[in-house]
């Protein structure tokens, strides 16, 4: 027979499989996030790349305007006049030139509502299935002339239309009615990845979408046998240098790359939560193994007595964790595929229609999952294993001697040092912010991890008195008082293993600390933001493109509002990017004369009207950075390459709506021929007009732009806060997973403790304790542990949040607000968590057979 | 000095000026208070004495499970106080066998695996015919694949005895091996231990409270208050009982 360590290890795991089960579950959830993030990003990216490769179809070359700077795929390019296409058509080797037009347009459903999509909603020019782009005709015919369109299959179905129906479409210049002649598709999908695609023939597109004989870009197909490189050069030679000729592949890659970046961000967020849940899991694993080791004290001592070496004992415990981790990791990888499928399904359910992707589990996914799953589990089991090795052989006969070996205590010193280090790192990351965002985040995260570890280590010292204090001060009507036997027992039990209580509570602490941190930062930002909005919004109406906000509003809307006698000041808010003295900045464009009545930007110097004279306004922070004031000039490079020197006409202090840089509408219009859209429009009622009359007039125009949303001051503020709240809900939602793992941890510890106290429970039952009382005492214990964890979480989280808030720029948050309602709900959550975690263990304890329990050793 | 008094060839284990002191000052307990004793090869020795007299302590120190405050313990020629934890572990595995009063077996291993445990831990295959002989001697042939929880108390103790013998250690220590058993099962175990000494030449040191059990030994050593107060060869139950009564008073 071979060495018994592997055998002992395997049997050890099997004998304790239920005790290890919850641990496995915790690791599985952590690994599932990791593998889910990778599987999702790999699979969706591949599908997106394929989609865009298909979309570029037979396009050999593409002609577009150059940009001076910025991301190739997201840049705002000037359009290409149709004449350029004519020039290209006569170049040798060019078989065909097509115009590429793509503009925001909305389908009105058969119920008269604008069709909601998760992706953008586009009108495009399409020459039909023989055209160069990769769209396909799924059913019917393609649009051949005025009054005809095709829709993507999914949008047609969701809008309630069939071929032959008359469909209302809203374009940049208003509504139009079209006959639906067919259904289009994109590559393998019957829609464009969540986007609505309305396809016109090129001439109709040009008219209805208002492109004024200018295309976004031109598609070129080569004649048979022509060399692409030669034609590319010949085309470039035939046209102005403000246009560039690129290959179809490059174009597809650029577009896919932009989307892939977004998917990567999504994947990174998932990985962030994987880190949190794995960190929490590590506590659970550590705890499980620590408890199991102490429960096996005699067995381990006996092994030592009959000749097992310290190393053999250690490898046995580490081996057990290895088995657990491999099992959990394999399950976790599969669960991760489930996570990926689930997320895709979730998005599809809301109409996104991801391109159908086969799941890709790459080697990297498996390796990364194994690395974190096995790494975290084994690392968490190392300390219990080292302790197990310390058990002296005499403990086989005198177990009490073993316990002291398991409890060598340097926690106070180590805990203080680690906490101090953590605070230092965190402070360095948040306040000093060395280097880039990534290193700042990394430093702060490392600091937070150290703080959590340090506090968890320190908490052992206070676990017993804290448990006592909690059991005395929890005055809950729905739970029995500490004066009851059950309450006393629960409280004593929480105190008797302070180490266990502390590390169980620590797992919960992490999730709740993060919640507290986020709550403090969020509430501080929210209140700052609210006050700024209240102080700065003077417009009576705000109009934005509600659900399709990112597409903006057609400029025609603002032009028609200007003609309304019921309104006084009206200004759209447009935006662009430009290089200011070489740095890329977001620049807003408004009508100065009106804007000053709509938004109070807390002007410090100069005048808002100066915008209309071609000057610019900037916030005092960049003004200080660049050392400029009213009368000075800055050099601006717009994306199409136009360079300007613009004089500063004013400096302001409130950037909450205006952002940091403002120019006049005419300034922007003069440099950019890209079709402008309005992010929102502000309007004030004319003197003597009632707000209700004005609203009726505005809504009447809005009826022609069905996706537009008209809001009064209060509604606008509410919608801004709602957006913020939605973001918070997502963050809280994901943090809940870490709390769920902590609940598992408490349940697990309780279950292990119940197992350990079998004999004691038997005795209690024998001397007359009822099942209900027994359950109650276990519930009490769990609640105490959970509340302890919550208090630790709040104590750690609130200062972290305050630190982050203080470190953020003043213009963003100017105060630290401690959200007491959130903190109280955290405490209530903890009590619920305790009660829930105790359900299983309590039931088990109550089920014990009294006689058997007493005779067990 | 003692080398001449106790020739190394015949000593399986010995203690010399052994002190084991717990606590300090007022609460000082001298569990062993200057014990010098030798256990000869191939002999069955019983250690007796009132509760708290230091029997278990002496055994734990002799077996390398616990360390002395001062003094020397030898297993064969080896002074075990000089050994590293690693060497001590090896010595326990190869030269010493144990039988405790209870909780002798690893619950997750079968009877046979428990018997082979010291051998397996050392990565040795052991002498299969010897193991067969031991298994037959303790009459466990049909129980080898059972887990401890499926065995009676007596059977569990027999597995423990078999394990102690399996690696043919230089010496076996047994602390009240029959303390938890009824007299019939106890007698079985004692007879078997006696056989191991007489037939196989095994050296055994056994702590017991039971005069009848002591009568199976070749020699009885009496401890009181951490000192050796008397010893007796060729003991009978009556003589031992007699001696114990005097000690108790
Ligand atoms: N870890 C310890 N700390 C303090 N005193 C101890 C410790 N272990 C043993 N003692 C004391 O040493 C003395 C001898 O104990 P030991 O266990 O050797 O007695 P024993 O003869 O085996 O008794 P019994 O017959 O009851 O098993 C006792 O007084 C005991 O209280
Ligand atoms: Mg004893």
């Amino acid at each position: 027979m071979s060495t018994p360590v592997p055998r002992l290890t395997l049997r050890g795991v099997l004998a304790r499989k239920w005790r290890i089960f919850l641990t496995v579950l915790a690791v599985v959830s952590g690994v599932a996030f990791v593998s889910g993030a990778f599987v999702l990003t790999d699979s969706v990216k591949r599908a997106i790349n394929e989609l865009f490769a298909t979309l570029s179809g037979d396009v050999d070359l593409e002609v577009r305007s150059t940009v001076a700077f910025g991301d190739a795929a997201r840049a705002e390019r000037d359009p290409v006049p149709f004449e350029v296409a004519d020039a290209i058509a006569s170049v040798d080797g060019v078989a065909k030139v097509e115009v590429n037009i793509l503009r925001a347009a909305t389908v009105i459903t058969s119920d008269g509502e604008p069709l909601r999509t998760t992706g953008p909603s586009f009108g495009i020019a399409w020459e039909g299935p023989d055209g160069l782009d990769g769209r396909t005709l799924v059913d019917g015919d393609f649009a051949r002339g005025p009054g005809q369109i095709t829709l993507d299959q999914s949008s047609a179905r969701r809008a309630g239309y069939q071929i032959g129906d008359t469909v209302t479409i809203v374009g940049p210049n208003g509504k139009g009615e079209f006959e639906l002649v067919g259904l289009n598709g994109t590559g393998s999908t019957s829609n464009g990845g969540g986007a609505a695609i309305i396809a016109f023939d090129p001439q109709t597109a040009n008219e209805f979408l208002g492109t004024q004989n200018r295309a976004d870009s031109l598609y070129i197909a080569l004649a048979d046998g022509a060399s692409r490189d030669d034609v590319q050069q010949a085309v470039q030679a035939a046209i102005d240098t403000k246009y560039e000729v690129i290959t179809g592949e490059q174009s597809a890659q650029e577009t896919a790359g932009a989307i892939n970046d977004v998917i990567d961000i999504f994947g990174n967020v998932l990985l962030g939560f994987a880190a949190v849940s794995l960190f929490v899991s590590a506590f659970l694993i550590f705890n499980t193994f620590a408890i199991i080791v102490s429960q096996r004290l005699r067995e381990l001592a006996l092994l030592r007595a009959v000749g097992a070496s310290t190393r053999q004992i250690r490898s046995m415990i580490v081996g057990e964790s290895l088995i657990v981790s491999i099992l959990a990791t394999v399950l976790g990888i599969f669960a991760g595929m489930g996570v990926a499928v689930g997320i895709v399904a979730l998005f599809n359910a809301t109409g996104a229609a991801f391109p159908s992707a086969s799941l890709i589990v790459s080697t990297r996914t498996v390796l990364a999952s194994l690395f974190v799953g096995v790494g975290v589990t084994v690392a968490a089991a190392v300390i219990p294993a080292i302790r197990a090795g310390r058990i002296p052989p005499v403990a086989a006969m005198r177990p009490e001697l073993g316990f002291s070996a398991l409890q060598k205590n340097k926690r106070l010193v180590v805990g203080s040092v680690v906490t101090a280090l953590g605070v230092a790192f965190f402070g360095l990351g948040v306040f000093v912010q060395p280097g880039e965002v990534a290193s700042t985040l990394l430093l702060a995260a490392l600091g937070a991890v150290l703080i959590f570890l340090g506090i968890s280590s320190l908490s052992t010292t206070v676990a017993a008195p804290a448990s006592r204090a909690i059991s005395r001060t929890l005055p809950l009507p729905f739970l029995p008082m500490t004066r009851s036997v059950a309450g006393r027992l629960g409280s004593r039990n929480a105190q008797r293993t302070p180490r266990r209580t502390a590390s169980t509570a620590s797992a919960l602490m992490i999730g709740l600390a993060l919640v507290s941190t986020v709550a403090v930062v969020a509430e501080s930002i929210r209140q700052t933001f609210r006050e700024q909005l209240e102080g700065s919004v003077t417009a009576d109406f705000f109009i934005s493109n509600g659900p399709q906000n990112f597409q903006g509003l057609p400029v025609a809307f603002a032009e028609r509002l200007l003609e309304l006698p019921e309104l006084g000041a009206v200004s759209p808010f447009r935006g662009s990017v430009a290089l200011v003295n070489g740095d890329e900045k977001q620049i807003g464009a408004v009508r100065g004369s009106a804007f000053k009545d709509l938004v109070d930007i807390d002007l410090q110097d100069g005048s808002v009207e100066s915008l209309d004279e071609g000057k610019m306004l900037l916030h005092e922070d960049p003004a200080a950075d660049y050392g400029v004031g009213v009368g000075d000039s800055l050099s601006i490079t717009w994306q199409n390459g136009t360079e300007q020197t613009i004089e500063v006409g004013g400096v302001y202090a409130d950037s909450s709506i205006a952002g940091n840089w403002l120019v006049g509408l005419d300034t922007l219009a003069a440099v950019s021929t890209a079709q402008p859209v309005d992010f929102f429009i502000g309007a004030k009622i004319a003197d003597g007009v009632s707000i209700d009359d004005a609203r009726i007039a505005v809504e009447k125009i809005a009826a022609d732009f069905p996706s537009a949303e008209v809001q009064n001051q209060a509604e606008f503020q509410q919608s801004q806060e709602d957006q913020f709240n939605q973001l918070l809900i997502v963050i809280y939602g994901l943090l809940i997973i870490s709390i769920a793992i902590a609940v598992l941890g408490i349940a697990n510890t309780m279950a292990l403790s119940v197992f350990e106290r079998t004999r004691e429970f038997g005795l209690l039952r024998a001397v007359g304790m009822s099942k209900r009382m027994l359950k109650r005492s276990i519930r009490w214990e769990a609640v105490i542990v959970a509340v302890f964890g919550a208090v630790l979480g709040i104590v750690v989280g609130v200062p972290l949040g305050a630190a982050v808030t203080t470190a953020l720029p003043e213009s963003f948050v100017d105060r630290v607000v401690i959200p007491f309602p959130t903190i109280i709900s955290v405490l209530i959550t903890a009590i619920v968590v305790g009660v829930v975690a105790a359900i299983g263990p309590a039931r088990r304890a109550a089920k014990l057979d009294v006689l058997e329990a007493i005779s067990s050793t | 000095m003692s080398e001449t008094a106790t020739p190394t060839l015949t000593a399986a284990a010995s203690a010399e000026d052994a002190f084991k002191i717990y606590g300090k000052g007022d609460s000082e307990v001298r569990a062993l208070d200057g014990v010098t004793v030798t256990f000869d090869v191939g002999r069955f020795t019983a250690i007796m004495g009132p509760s708290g007299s230091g029997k278990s302590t002496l055994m734990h120190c002799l077996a390398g499970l616990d360390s002395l405050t001062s003094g020397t313990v030898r297993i064969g020629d080896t002074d075990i106080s000089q050994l590293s934890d690693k060497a001590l572990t090896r010595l326990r595995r190869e030269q010493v066998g144990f039988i405790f009063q209870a909780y002798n077996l690893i619950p997750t291993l079968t009877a046979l695996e428990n018997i082979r445990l010291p051998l397996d831990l050392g990565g040795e295959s052991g002498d299969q015919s010897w193991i067969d002989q031991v298994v037959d001697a303790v009459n466990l042939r049909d129980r080898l694949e059972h887990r401890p929880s499926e065995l009676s108390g007596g059977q569990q103790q027999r597995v423990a005895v078999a394990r102690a013998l399996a690696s043919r250690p230089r010496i076996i220590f047994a602390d009240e091996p029959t303390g938890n058993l009824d007299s019939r099962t106890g007698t079985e175990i004692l007879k078997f231990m006696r056989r191991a000494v007489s037939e196989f030449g095994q050296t055994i040191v056994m702590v017991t409270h039971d005069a009848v059990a002591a009568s199976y030994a070749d020699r009885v050593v009496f401890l009181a208050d951490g000192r050796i107060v008397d010893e007796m060869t060729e003991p009978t139950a009556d003589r031992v009982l007699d001696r114990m009564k005097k000690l108790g008073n």
Side-chain angles (χ1 to χ4, degrees):
Chain A
M1 276 182 229
S2 60
T3 156
V5 171
R7 182 168 58 221
L8 279 164
T9 306
L10 189 64
R11 299 270 172 83
V13 171
L14 290 177
R16 276 161 275 273
K17 50 182 176 290
W18 292 113
R19 275 177 266 177
I20 291 173
F21 174 73
L22 292 173
T23 313
V24 172
L25 216 59
V27 182
V28 168
S29 63
V31 172
F33 269 121
V34 176
S35 93
F38 285 130
V39 170
L40 183 75
T41 49
D42 287 351
S43 309
V44 174
K45 270 183 179 173
R46 149 105 61 100
I48 298 263
N49 288 343
E50 281 171 0
L51 179 69
F52 281 97
T54 321
L55 262 182
S56 77
D58 303 321
V59 178
D60 294 312
L61 296 169
E62 187 174 344
V63 175
R64 65 185 185 192
S65 296
T66 55
V67 284
F69 62 90
D71 180 83
R74 271 179 283 233
E76 285 172 29
R77 292 174 191 278
D78 285 348
V80 184
F82 286 179
E83 300 96 81
V84 179
D86 301 338
I88 293 168
S90 56
V91 172
D92 258 2
V94 172
K96 193 175 179 193
V97 185
E98 272 182 20
V99 297
N100 167 34
I101 293 174
L102 181 143
R103 283 289 179 282
T106 311
V107 180
I108 304 300
T109 67
S110 53
D111 300 332
E113 295 292 319
L115 177 68
R116 299 202 168 224
T117 53
T118 48
S121 183
F122 285 135
I124 61 164
W126 187 39
E127 299 206 349
D130 292 335
L132 297 183
D133 68 6
R135 309 225 177 254
T136 54
L137 187 62
V138 177
D139 198 4
D141 197 4
F142 63 97
R144 292 171 189 273
Q148 294 186 339
I149 54 160
T150 59
L151 285 177
D152 67 277
Q153 199 173 25
S154 147
S155 297
R157 194 192 61 238
R158 293 200 304 120
Y161 290 121
Q162 279 166 356
I163 294 174
D165 288 350
T166 300
V167 180
T168 304
I169 304 292
V170 181
N173 299 316
K175 283 184 187 174
E177 302 221 319
F178 297 88
E179 184 197 349
L180 182 64
V181 294
L183 302 177
N184 63 54
T186 301
S188 62
T189 69
S190 55
N191 66 16
I197 309 281
I198 308 154
F200 308 87
D201 78 288
Q203 198 44 48
T204 311
N206 183 40
E207 281 159 20
F208 184 70
L209 300 175
T211 46
Q212 298 167 340
N213 295 325
R214 293 178 305 179
D216 297 344
S217 68
L218 303 174
Y219 291 150
I220 299 172
L222 299 184
D224 284 345
S227 140
R228 187 159 72 171
D229 288 353
D230 293 349
V231 177
Q232 188 170 6
Q233 281 171 16
V235 170
Q236 185 69 71
I239 57 180
D240 196 300
T241 51
K242 67 189 240 196
Y243 306 116
E244 60 185 357
V245 187
I246 58 167
T247 64
E249 287 88 351
Q250 188 188 339
S251 171
Q253 276 166 17
E254 281 175 8
T255 322
I259 297 179
N260 287 348
D261 288 349
V262 177
I263 294 166
D264 274 339
I265 291 174
F266 197 72
N268 286 340
V269 170
L270 275 184
L271 286 179
F273 285 99
V276 172
S277 50
L278 280 166
F279 187 50
V280 174
S281 305
F283 278 81
L284 207 172
I285 297 158
F286 169 82
N287 232 8
T288 309
F289 278 94
I291 295 173
I292 285 179
V293 163
S294 77
Q295 286 177 352
R296 293 163 79 183
L297 188 88
R298 281 194 96 160
E299 181 186 330
L300 296 173
L302 179 64
L303 279 168
R304 290 281 284 134
V306 300
S309 66
T310 303
R311 257 191 51 204
Q312 282 173 319
I313 298 285
R314 286 182 185 160
S315 19
M316 203 174 109
I317 305 293
V318 169
E320 290 190 12
S321 74
L322 201 64
I323 294 178
V324 170
S325 66
I326 290 174
L327 184 73
T329 303
V330 171
L331 289 175
I333 291 172
F334 283 106
M337 294 163 68
V339 166
V341 171
I343 289 175
V344 169
L346 201 72
F347 276 87
N348 283 349
T350 57
F354 269 108
S356 55
S358 48
L359 288 184
I360 299 170
V361 183
S362 64
T363 321
R364 176 200 55 168
T365 307
V366 174
L367 288 182
S369 302
L370 272 177
F371 181 74
V372 295
V374 174
V376 166
T377 312
V378 174
V382 161
I383 291 179
I386 289 176
R387 283 196 206 141
R390 260 192 234 135
I391 296 172
V394 220
M397 287 135 298
R398 294 180 169 279
E400 66 280 3
L401 292 181
F403 284 114
S404 59
L406 288 184
Q407 284 165 3
K408 279 197 181 161
N409 237 326
K410 281 189 217 119
R411 296 200 143 215
L412 212 54
V413 181
V414 175
S416 312
V417 170
V418 172
T419 310
L421 261 179
V423 171
F425 275 121
F426 189 80
L428 203 65
V430 169
F431 291 106
V432 183
Q433 300 177 359
E436 290 173 19
V437 181
S439 61
T440 296
L441 274 178
L442 204 67
L443 217 55
L446 182 66
V449 165
L450 288 176
I451 291 174
F452 287 141
L453 288 177
I455 295 287
S456 140
S457 174
L458 286 176
S459 65
T460 312
T461 334
V462 292
S467 303
R468 205 175 313 131
I470 290 167
S471 58
R472 288 212 185 113
T473 49
L474 256 189
L476 292 164
F478 53 91
L479 288 168
M481 297 295 217
T482 346
R483 262 172 282 139
S484 74
V485 181
R488 262 206 312 272
L489 263 176
S491 157
R492 294 273 161 75
N493 280 332
Q495 291 169 46
R496 96 171 158 192
T497 48
R499 199 183 251 269
R500 196 180 292 181
T501 300
S503 51
T504 311
S506 299
L508 186 62
M509 162 185 81
I510 296 163
L512 294 182
L514 292 176
V515 167
S516 309
T517 307
V518 172
V520 170
V521 176
E523 195 55 33
S524 305
I525 293 177
R526 200 205 320 257
Q527 290 204 11
T528 307
F529 185 60
R530 181 183 294 157
E531 199 157 289
Q532 281 177 350
L533 273 185
E534 273 167 8
S536 56
V537 174
T538 50
D540 295 310
F541 296 115
F542 273 89
I543 300 126
S544 62
N545 195 356
Q548 241 88 49
N549 214 350
F550 54 93
Q551 280 192 326
L553 282 166
V555 292
F557 199 129
E559 280 156 16
R560 287 179 62 186
L561 287 182
L562 271 175
E563 293 158 8
L564 275 185
E566 287 89 347
L567 295 180
V570 173
S571 173
F573 190 97
R574 281 174 206 160
S576 187
V577 283
L579 294 182
V580 180
N581 281 2
D583 307 320
E584 195 174 324
K585 301 289 179 199
Q586 301 279 338
I587 307 229
V590 295
R591 179 172 293 115
S593 57
F595 193 68
K596 72 176 200 317
D597 296 329
L598 301 171
V599 175
D600 179 5
I601 56 176
D602 194 6
L603 196 71
Q604 304 291 298
D605 194 9
S607 80
V608 181
E609 287 93 333
S610 68
L611 288 174
D612 300 340
E613 298 153 21
K615 296 180 182 171
M616 71 189 299
L617 260 55
L618 72 166
H619 185 258
E620 56 186 4
D621 288 351
D625 290 346
Y626 288 92
V628 292
V630 173
D632 295 333
S633 292
L634 283 163
S635 102
I636 307 284
T637 307
W638 299 95
Q639 209 161 23
N640 62 5
T642 309
E643 287 180 29
Q644 282 184 320
T645 301
I646 304 186
E647 191 183 325
V648 175
V651 174
Y652 55 91
D654 183 345
S655 62
S656 56
I657 294 181
N660 277 345
W661 305 84
L662 285 176
V663 295
L665 283 183
D666 296 338
T667 309
L668 185 64
V671 291
S672 168
T673 50
Q675 184 162 0
V677 290
D678 292 335
F679 293 153
F680 62 84
I681 303 166
K684 208 166 169 60
I685 50 179
D687 284 344
V689 178
S690 84
I691 192 149
D692 293 333
D693 290 346
R695 183 155 195 158
I696 290 167
V698 172
E699 296 278 12
K700 205 180 223 164
I701 296 177
D704 288 342
F705 301 89
S707 59
E709 204 168 340
V710 181
Q711 296 173 317
N712 63 24
Q713 260 187 29
E715 288 163 348
F716 174 70
Q717 285 176 15
Q718 190 57 48
S719 72
Q720 295 290 305
E721 281 193 32
D722 285 349
Q723 279 181 20
F724 187 70
N725 289 344
Q726 265 171 16
L727 186 73
L728 274 185
I729 286 173
V730 173
I731 297 178
Y732 284 142
L734 286 165
L735 285 177
I736 280 176
I737 291 162
S738 75
I739 295 172
I741 296 176
V743 175
L744 275 186
I746 297 178
N748 194 29
T749 308
M750 296 306 300
L752 290 170
S753 301
V754 164
F755 180 85
E756 191 173 80
R757 296 181 202 142
T758 302
R759 200 185 148 78
E760 187 178 316
F761 288 146
L763 247 164
L764 286 169
R765 296 272 288 119
V767 300
M769 185 179 241
S770 71
K771 285 187 178 184
R772 268 188 54 197
M773 270 160 87
L774 188 60
K775 281 185 180 176
R776 209 177 279 165
S777 79
I778 290 166
R779 202 153 50 223
W780 254 104
E781 187 180 344
V783 168
I784 290 171
V785 172
V787 171
F788 182 45
V791 171
L792 285 176
I794 292 164
V795 166
V796 175
V798 169
L800 287 187
V804 172
T805 309
T806 317
L808 288 172
E810 191 85 349
S811 56
F812 194 46
V813 260
D814 58 4
R815 71 201 69 190
V816 175
V817 183
I818 295 173
F820 287 101
T822 313
I823 287 175
I824 289 169
S825 34
V826 161
L827 280 172
I828 294 173
T829 310
I831 292 169
V832 175
V833 158
V835 172
V836 170
I839 293 174
R843 197 171 288 168
R844 236 195 102 169
K847 258 200 261 168
L848 289 175
D849 181 274
V850 180
L851 267 180
E852 261 178 47
I854 294 176
S855 58
S856 77
T857 43
Chain B
M1 283 191 330
S2 60
E3 302 270 320
T4 46
T6 55
T8 47
L9 265 181
T10 55
S14 65
E16 199 184 320
D17 281 336
F19 286 86
K20 177 75 181 179
I21 300 167
Y22 291 110
K24 282 197 182 96
D26 275 354
S27 62
E28 184 183 279
V29 177
R30 293 183 166 233
L32 296 179
D33 193 9
V35 173
T36 299
V37 66
T38 300
F39 301 98
D40 291 340
V41 169
R43 298 256 279 170
F44 188 175
T45 309
I47 301 179
M48 297 198 72
S51 186
S53 57
K55 306 182 293 293
S56 296
T57 307
L58 177 61
M59 248 197 52
H60 295 164
C61 292
L62 282 167
L65 289 174
D66 206 352
S67 57
L68 289 174
T69 309
S70 72
T72 318
V73 166
R74 282 176 214 279
I75 300 286
D77 291 339
T78 318
D79 178 352
I80 67 168
S81 55
Q82 307 299 319
L83 295 181
S84 66
D85 179 69
K86 218 170 159 180
L88 204 57
T89 299
R90 193 187 162 121
L91 175 123
R92 276 201 305 270
R93 198 164 63 217
E94 291 171 356
Q95 305 206 27
V96 178
F98 291 99
I99 306 159
F100 304 123
Q101 182 169 353
Y103 204 81
N104 264 302
L105 307 178
I106 302 295
T108 54
L109 298 182
T110 64
L112 181 61
E113 285 164 351
N114 264 292
I115 292 172
R116 291 193 50 92
L117 189 56
L119 291 169
D120 288 346
L121 280 170
E124 293 159 33
S125 52
D127 177 349
Q128 191 55 47
S129 65
W130 168 245
I131 290 168
D132 283 341
Q133 209 177 329
V134 169
V135 165
D136 287 333
V138 291
N139 202 7
L140 278 169
R141 181 64 53 200
D142 55 343
R143 286 283 182 277
L144 289 179
E145 295 310 318
H146 292 239
R147 298 270 174 107
S149 58
E150 299 158 345
L151 299 174
S152 73
Q155 285 167 337
Q156 288 183 33
Q157 259 345 53
R158 284 184 350 229
V159 175
V161 175
R163 180 190 62 205
L165 283 165
S167 58
R168 291 196 199 245
R170 191 183 287 270
I171 187 164
I172 291 175
F173 294 100
D175 195 348
E176 303 185 42
T178 57
N180 267 5
L181 304 176
D182 64 73
S183 67
R184 202 178 63 90
T185 328
T187 307
E188 234 172 69
I189 298 282
L190 287 163
K191 277 189 176 148
F192 180 68
M193 285 167 63
R194 179 69 252 172
R195 259 183 74 198
V197 175
S198 314
E199 290 178 25
F200 311 135
Q202 182 64 56
T203 310
I204 297 181
V205 177
M206 170 182 76
V207 168
T208 182
H209 277 127
D210 179 5
V212 179
S215 70
Y216 284 82
D218 299 314
R219 166 189 180 215
V220 183
V221 175
F222 294 95
L223 268 184
D225 296 331
R227 284 173 219 206
I228 294 189
V229 289
D230 198 0
E231 65 168 87
M232 180 187 289
T233 42
E234 310 290 322
T236 64
D238 288 342
R239 282 175 63 213
V240 170
L241 215 55
D242 217 37
R243 188 73 195 77
M244 284 297 289
K245 267 186 197 143
K246 282 182 201 156
L247 264 185
N249 298 335

